[in-house]
Every structure is written in C-alpha cells, then in structure tokens.
Amino acid sequence: MMRRNLMVAATALMLSACMAWSQPDGKAATWPDALTMANGARATSAQEFEAERRPELLNLFAENVYGKSPQEKLPMKSTVTSVDRDALGGLAVRKQVELLFSANGITRALHVLEYLPAKANGPAPVFVGLNFDGNWTVSKDAGIALTDEWTVDPALAKVRLSTELKGHFRQRATENERGKNASRWPLEMILRAGFGVATVYAGDIEPDMVTGIGYGVRPLFFKGDQYLPAADDWGAIGAWAWGLSRVADYLETDPAVNAKEMIVIGHSRLGKTALWAGAQDKRFAMVISNESGKGGASLSHRGVEESIAHLNIAFPYWFSANYHHYTGRQEKLPVDGHLLLALIAPRPLFVGSAQEDPYSDPHGEYLSTAAASEVYALYGEKGPSFDDQVELDKPVGNELRYYMRPGGHDMKAEDWKQYIAWAEEMLKKK
Ligand code: GCU
C-alpha cells in the first residue's frame, strides 16, 4: 500500500513538473513548468517565486545554457572621447565613450556610441543594445569613429563553411561601411520620441567567431594558470551580456540618462543576449527580444526548426560547454525560453517575432511568452494567454507583450514603432 502511494505521488510530481500542450501539427510537446521547483513544490506567490524559484532558474541557466558570469568586478576606466551637441541635424547629443578593462596582462576596449535627445526636459530613458557590425554601421553620421572590425579571411571566400567557423582578420573599418545597418537603428524616430540609444559593437566584447575568445573579455577573468574555460563558464553570449551590464555601469554615471529607465534590446543572437542580460541584471527596467529564436525566447522542447545541435555545431562558443550535453537531447534540458522570460518578471518585456522567420520558430516564441504569463500573473502583471489569436501587427498581452509582424528575419522601423509605443505606455504607468 505504502509503495503504491509513493508511486502515485511520484507520478503526480512528474506530471506537475512538466506542462504539455498539443501543437498545431497535433504532436504533443512538454516543457518544464514555470512554477514547479526542483523539490517538487510549486511557487504560489510572487514572494515564493522571487525567493526560491528565481534563484533556482538563474542557476539552471548558468549551469546548463549560458555558463556562469564572473562575480568579480574589474575596474573600468571610462573616457569620453567625443561630444557633439549638434548631431543628426540638431536632434541629438552624440557622445562616444571608451570603456577600458585590464587584467592578466591584457586590455580590452568597448566603444560606446550614445545618442541622447538634444531637447530633453530631463534625464532621458535609453535603449541599450549591441550592434552586429560596428558603431559606424548604425548611422551615416560622419562623426562616428571608425574602429576595428572583424572580417572573414578572403582566402576562405569560396569555402562552403559558415562565417562563424571561418578564420577572420582584424582591420580598420572603412568609410563605405557607414550606415550599412541604419535600417535597424531608426535613430531619428527614437530620438523624436524622447528616447536615447547606447550601443556597442558586439565584436569589441568578443568577436563573433570560433577563435573570438582570445580577442574578447573572457580571458581577463582567467585565474592562475587557467588557459581554457571550465565546462560551466560563460560563452560569448554571456560575455556580450556582461558587456551590456558594463554599458549600464557607465550610463549610471551620465547625468543626462535616466538610469531607472534603461531598456535592453537586441535582435536574433543579440536578442538572446538581451534576454540573458535582462535576466541577470535588474537595472534593465524593460527588456525587448526581437526574433531571438532558439536559445532565446523560443522553446527548444518543441523539437522544431533550429535544434540545439545546430546551435552547438554552428556556434560552439556561444553557450557554455555544458550546453553541448543537450545536443540531440533537447527534452532533457531543465529550462527553456519561457523560463528565461520568467526571470525578467515583473519588469515589462516585449517579445517580437516575424512571420517569415521560421528558423526562430515564431509560434514557439508566442507559446513561450504565453507560458511565462503565469509568472507575470503572480505579480499582478498581464501577458498573452494560450487562447489569444495572434494576428499580424496586433500585439497581445500588456506588461508582457508579444507581437508578430509580416516579413522576414530583421529588425525594422516597424518593430521599433511597436517597441517605442509600448515603452511609452509602460513609462506612463510608473
Ligand atoms: C543564425 C542562428 C540563430 C541566430 C541568427 C542570428 O541563424 O542559427 O540562432 O538567432 O543566426 O543571430 O541572426
């Protein structure tokens, strides 16, 4: 009898620790329940979530996915290298700031490009995000310093191999690259709405390539005769997220910035990064994930589109070495996108998908956001529900919001329009 009761209890525990939904293709998928803790108990209040489930989740992500970020603080030397009070035709104050970090005989420099509304009535809210290809690609503004960039070795041009696995050279950026990604950074629209922008080239923190670790910040934290990361040490995404927090450190010292209104934002791999930065650093008052996909907002447990195997083979340095244990075994992963989103509760969080971006699994991003609503609800905040009908360009949810736009994988002015309107709404409610 005793044994039977125990078995019933164990089965009930296993069932409650996973949630199952049937998918549009009829297949059932299960992923870990947001509120059921490792000891089987369920968090039933915001206090319990905050005190027990949240630290547990942070730890699970660090152990199994992104790796542990160093706790040690390195001294940061910040130098304002240029200020233009009449940038972008008088719309903005442009500042460029160098953040220097030295340890283990090496020095790394992060170049912050900051635009603040010239006619602000007080300290401005600021979008903080990394850029893919260099600060000079964000705008045609000729005042942006050209610094070093990483480009693929031309000898490998004809080799059919993904960019990130190829050898790269460091070179000085050239004039003709100015503004090449400007469509992703509609600065005028952002500034006119009263927001600032602070951005850094991800490659300053760690170049996005398989040999990038040596040129980035991770070796600053090696101890003694260490020459390799440990299995649960941070990968490049962890390093990029660390860089975002260092930008926040600097912004806290800028009196023209409202440091209580820093909004971290990122697209795709840099959206994964924005989520992990927002999960770890509560100074980011709001978080925006644009098409962050698998290893970000989406659900690997669904077993559709980009697999953990692909993430680990194409980008073996993004995550911790421990994440490789889940190659081909995604169902064993103790966490997933919805729990990353839950770590941001109750702060406003916007998950944006694109309809023609199947690889990021837009439906998975929606399900994940709906699954995180349960945690937001504990704090009295509203997210989308599983019953919402997602229509193009029609956001669902509130503090936790989801939207899908037509078109492919990109970050467009249309996306920013949604994010700005939502951020304004959230700031008004404060
Ligand atoms: C690849 C990768 C995705 C990533 C994307 C991007 O497609 O597989 O996981 O989000 O690059 O960063 O654009």
Side-chain angles (χ1 to χ4, degrees), residues 132 164 184 208 267-272 290-295 306 310-311 314-315 318-319 357 359-360 409:
F132 280 76
E164 292 83 354
R184 287 190 174 170
D208 191 4
H267 169 62
S268 213
R269 67 197 68 185
L270 300 180
K272 308 184 209 299
N290 192 77
E291 298 152 37
S292 60
K294 297 294 164 65
E306 186 169 24
H310 183 269
L311 284 166
F315 318 102
W318 278 3
F319 299 88
D357 177 23
Y359 212 46
S360 301
H409 189 64

Side-chain angles (χ1 to χ4, degrees), residues 111 134-136 144-149 171-174 201 204:
H111 303 95
N135 291 349
W136 54 91
I144 302 174
L146 298 174
T147 55
D148 287 346
E149 64 177 358
Q171 63 175 33
R172 192 48 51 139
T174 53
Y201 173 34
D204 282 358

Side-chain angles (χ1 to χ4, degrees), residues 40-122:
R42 233 174 164 244
T44 53
S45 66
Q47 288 75 1
E48 259 183 289
F49 183 82
E50 203 68 35
E52 293 178 50
R53 182 63 168 152
R54 191 174 189 283
E56 179 176 287
L57 286 175
L58 261 181
N59 217 31
L60 286 170
F61 274 102
E63 277 280 336
N64 298 286
V65 183
Y66 304 109
K68 293 186 174 140
S69 307
Q71 293 309 306
E72 178 195 343
K73 269 231 152 191
L74 280 185
M76 172 170 97
K77 189 167 165 275
S78 68
T79 313
V80 178
T81 53
S82 86
V83 179
D84 180 353
R85 303 206 166 272
D86 194 25
L88 304 178
L91 195 62
V93 175
R94 183 205 338 101
K95 291 184 205 167
Q96 296 181 86
V97 186
E98 186 182 67
L99 308 180
L100 281 187
F101 303 90
S102 299
N104 293 335
I106 53 177
T107 296
R108 298 288 174 254
L110 274 52
H111 303 95
V112 183
L113 169 66
E114 193 184 355
Y115 285 101
L116 298 172
K119 294 191 183 73
N121 298 324

Side-chain angles (χ1 to χ4, degrees), residues 192-209:
R192 284 216 167 86
F195 292 84
V197 171
T199 184
V200 173
Y201 173 34
D204 282 358
I205 306 165
E206 179 165 327
D208 191 4
M209 56 195 198

